[in-house]
Amino acid sequence: MHSTRITKIFYLLVAWMCLCLQTACAADISFNLNVSSKDNVVTLRILNSGRDLAREVTAKIQLGTSELTVKVADELAAGQQQTVNQEINMPEQSGSYPIITTIYYLNEGKRLSLSNLGSFHVGIPSRLDDTIKLSPLRLTKRGTLDVFTQDLAAVQVVFPDEIVVSKREIKADRVRYTLDNVYQQFKATYPIYAYVTRVLPGGEHAFTYAEGEISTRLVVKDRSLFSASAIFAIFIVSLVLSFISYRHGLSTGFSKFKIAFIRYTFSVCCVSFFYLIFRQGYIFSDFALANLRPDLFSGSVGAYFFRVLKTLSSWFYFEGGDYDNFAKYIADPLYIYMLCINFFVIYYVIRPIPDEDKYWQLMKFCFSFVPLRVTGKPRDHWNRLTRLALLTFCVKLFYVPLLTSWTISNTLGFLGNYGQLIAAVTTGNAVRAFYQLNSFLVFLLIYVDVAIFTFGYLTELPQLKNQIKSVEPTVFGWFVCLACYPPFNSFSFKPFDIALTNNWEPPLGNSLHWFATILITLLWAIYTWASVALGVRSSNLTNRGIISRGPYRYVRHPAYISKVSLWVVETVFFGQRTLMLMTVTAFVYYLRALTEERHLGQDPDYHEYKRQVPYRFIPRLI
């Protein structure tokens, strides 16, 4: 019976993976649009910057009351640029006017658009002093956009045709647009423009404008076997079952089966809760972005904090390259595993002992808040294991979706990278083959590293001896670690990405570049060697046992020193980073090493390891 059930579950998982792989995606079409004008001739330069062919490309030009449509091309291949020169009727009044250009094209049979707004001058240019600010917006089905300016009645906004205005309201300090997304199967970022035009007392025409953006969201998570209501129902049922079973066990005793069942139902309850957040977190993002007012921020510091808040608010969409593959290929199979298989793993493999199991202690702590209270008060059940379980959940929740998505992306990109290597070798161009070979090796090394860490975050079994003994206990330790990962790294290092001088250039010369390329590959090899040495114990912020093999026989932080060193080489020889950014990055990794040593210092085995390996970064030196 057990074997038959596992077989059915396996076939269900295979069927789901096939369904995911067969899901059709819209073509990757995007445009770069440049508009310039001289006298009464407007020049459009239209570049297909996507990877797929665009069909039936046309352009509409609006200037004042004049409007005309121009055919651009029947087909515009990826990377192809088309230039169009078009005469237009010039306005009679002198001054400055908004010229609105919209590109139309077909994608999967749907007519999509991209707009651009620029300035058209007749005689002497004239610009208004009005300040215009737009709130950011991520749009699934319906959303609101706020525009802040002094002349609320006069402001107008240029939207793509796919975004329909269903309501326009003038509030006390803003104009609010209620928008509907017509084509919800597409994911795109559209520039939008808010502008104000006015005739000045001297009779000349003047205007000013501001640019913003709207991102329409193709929510991969919505294509799931489980609806949000089903996940919520499973959460409630598993919570009730685990609570009732635990209360019953307090009076009748806990058998091996009952312990496994309670642990299983509590695990399903926790995973359902967090899966529901993963599926419904966009509600928070929609609310936060709708109320994130750019007019409250001023200056460069204000702009930076606005970027931080916007990034953190958008994070709860859980979309893009860091999460889409997890949602598409992993989330549902992992949830099915928790529902159908995890009980047998707990019963036959883990065999938890309540007094020693951190998740059991966390369960007791959670149940102590229920009005139908179990034994003790919450403070009676808050102990080392309870805190360890909570921190372990945080580590897994952050890294599992991120690393699994990266692993799948690397898997899908592996064949493409290999194909480029074969193409470079077959051309007989030694220089191209050399660089492509190094690129392939670096790709392979990073792929191995990410795959190892992904497995480490997914598994925690006594038989593998990779159970988490402790988790970094300080906020500062978490801060310096997470600052290096999305979404935090999109703003954590941004203030330091400035050039100290404009006179420095990386050294040139093939021999130097070849040497640097080989050195970078070797440093990546050391970095991956460290991950291989950690093996199933790989994970950040945790202690799963002290490792002294591989490069850890020589230094205590081989991964950090190799990664920072290769970044230094990339900076010096290829100019990929500024000196300030490289210095701050190295300092952050130094702080990560210090916080890890302080954390691991709680383990007596680490003190013995430090005695055997006294050097942090460079053997016999540092």
Side-chain angles (χ1 to χ4, degrees), residues 26 104 134 153 219 283 297 380 474 520 553 577 581 596:
Y104 296 97
L134 297 86
V219 186
I283 297 175
F297 302 86
D380 299 329
T474 66
I520 289 170
R553 291 178 294 177
R577 292 169 183 81
L581 179 60
E596 283 186 11

Side-chain angles (χ1 to χ4, degrees), residues 426-443:
T426 54
T427 58
N429 187 325
V431 175
R432 181 186 173 192
F434 167 79
Y435 283 109
Q436 193 59 53
L437 174 61
N438 277 274
S439 175
F440 174 77
L441 290 175
V442 169
F443 184 93

Side-chain angles (χ1 to χ4, degrees), residues 137-370:
L137 178 62
R138 295 285 187 95
L139 192 61
T140 304
K141 299 178 182 178
R142 169 168 288 195
T144 57
L145 173 77
D146 290 329
V147 180
F148 303 87
T149 188
Q150 295 93 329
D151 193 350
L152 299 177
V155 69
Q156 299 182 64
V157 182
V158 178
F159 295 106
D161 287 12
E162 301 92 294
I163 308 299
V164 176
V165 179
S166 59
K167 185 188 294 185
R168 183 180 186 271
E169 303 171 280
I170 298 181
K171 304 287 187 179
D173 61 342
R174 73 193 72 179
V175 180
R176 171 162 290 181
Y177 292 85
T178 302
L179 307 172
D180 292 316
N181 182 14
V182 176
Y183 299 138
Q184 297 169 22
Q185 69 268 41
F186 293 97
K187 177 180 178 180
T189 299
Y190 298 96
I192 59 172
Y193 304 88
Y195 67 95
V196 174
T197 62
R198 194 179 302 130
V199 178
L200 299 180
E204 65 271 21
H205 198 277
F207 92 106
T208 188
Y209 72 97
E211 183 177 354
E213 68 176 31
I214 291 180
S215 299
T216 58
R217 300 175 52 244
L218 170 63
V219 186
V220 177
K221 300 186 295 295
D222 287 349
R223 295 181 290 177
S224 170
L225 289 173
F226 302 93
S227 64
S229 57
I231 298 171
F232 181 73
I234 294 172
F235 163 72
I236 295 297
V237 169
S238 58
L239 176 63
V240 171
L241 284 176
S242 59
F243 180 75
I244 292 175
S245 301
Y246 179 69
R247 279 183 57 87
H248 185 264
L250 290 174
S251 58
T252 62
F254 294 102
S255 64
K256 178 182 175 182
F257 178 86
K258 187 173 291 185
I259 291 172
F261 179 77
I262 294 171
R263 264 279 267 113
Y264 160 74
T265 51
F266 182 70
S267 298
V268 170
C269 170
C270 293
V271 171
S272 299
F273 175 76
F274 292 117
Y275 193 21
L276 198 61
I277 293 177
F278 183 73
R279 292 283 304 279
Q280 300 295 303
Y282 71 88
I283 297 175
F284 170 79
S285 290
D286 285 345
F287 173 80
L289 291 176
N291 292 277
L292 188 59
R293 296 175 49 179
D295 61 315
L296 299 177
F297 302 86
S298 60
S300 57
V301 175
Y304 174 75
F305 279 107
F306 179 75
R307 176 192 178 106
V308 171
L309 292 175
K310 179 182 174 183
T311 302
L312 294 178
S313 299
S314 304
W315 182 31
F316 288 90
Y317 285 127
F318 298 116
E319 63 179 0
D322 294 325
Y323 296 101
D324 280 355
N325 284 324
F326 174 78
K328 189 183 297 184
Y329 302 113
I330 303 297
D332 275 351
L334 189 60
Y335 195 52
I336 292 171
Y337 160 82
M338 292 299 301
L339 294 175
C340 303
I341 302 176
N342 193 44
F343 171 78
F344 302 102
V345 174
I346 293 173
Y347 186 78
Y348 290 106
V349 180
I350 297 178
R351 302 173 185 174
I353 300 173
D355 290 341
E356 301 175 4
D357 186 78
K358 56 181 177 286
Y359 299 113
W360 185 277
Q361 298 299 316
L362 178 62
M363 178 193 68
K364 288 172 61 178
F365 174 75
C366 294
F367 287 163
S368 63
F369 286 94
V370 181

Side-chain angles (χ1 to χ4, degrees), residues 443-559:
F443 184 93
L444 179 61
L445 291 167
I446 296 175
Y447 173 68
V448 171
D449 165 72
V450 173
I452 290 173
F453 268 80
T454 300
F455 184 81
Y457 289 117
L458 285 171
T459 60
E460 187 184 358
L461 296 171
Q463 289 77 4
L464 295 177
K465 298 180 180 180
N466 70 335
Q467 291 175 295
I468 295 176
K469 297 181 178 181
S470 64
V471 178
E472 168 61 46
T474 66
V475 173
F476 183 74
W478 279 74
F479 172 79
V480 295
C481 180
L482 298 187
C484 303
Y485 292 90
F488 308 103
N489 62 356
S490 63
F491 57 78
S492 57
F493 295 102
K494 187 65 177 178
F496 309 103
D497 192 9
I498 54 177
L500 298 181
T501 174
N502 294 323
N503 298 323
W504 180 85
E505 292 183 0
L508 301 177
N510 287 338
S511 59
L512 284 175
H513 277 192
W514 287 16
F515 168 75
T517 301
I518 294 172
L519 183 57
I520 289 170
T521 305
L522 291 175
L523 289 169
W524 272 116
I526 295 173
Y527 178 81
T528 305
W529 184 23
S531 299
V532 172
L534 290 173
V536 295
R537 299 181 185 181
S538 300
S539 67
N540 286 295
L541 297 167
T542 63
N543 175 16
R544 295 187 166 194
I546 307 304
I547 297 296
S548 59
R549 58 178 175 265
Y552 290 95
R553 291 178 294 177
Y554 310 107
V555 292
R556 300 200 296 269
H557 301 283

Side-chain angles (χ1 to χ4, degrees), residues 2 188 334 489 568 573:
H2 176 68
L334 189 60
N489 62 356
V568 170
F573 287 92

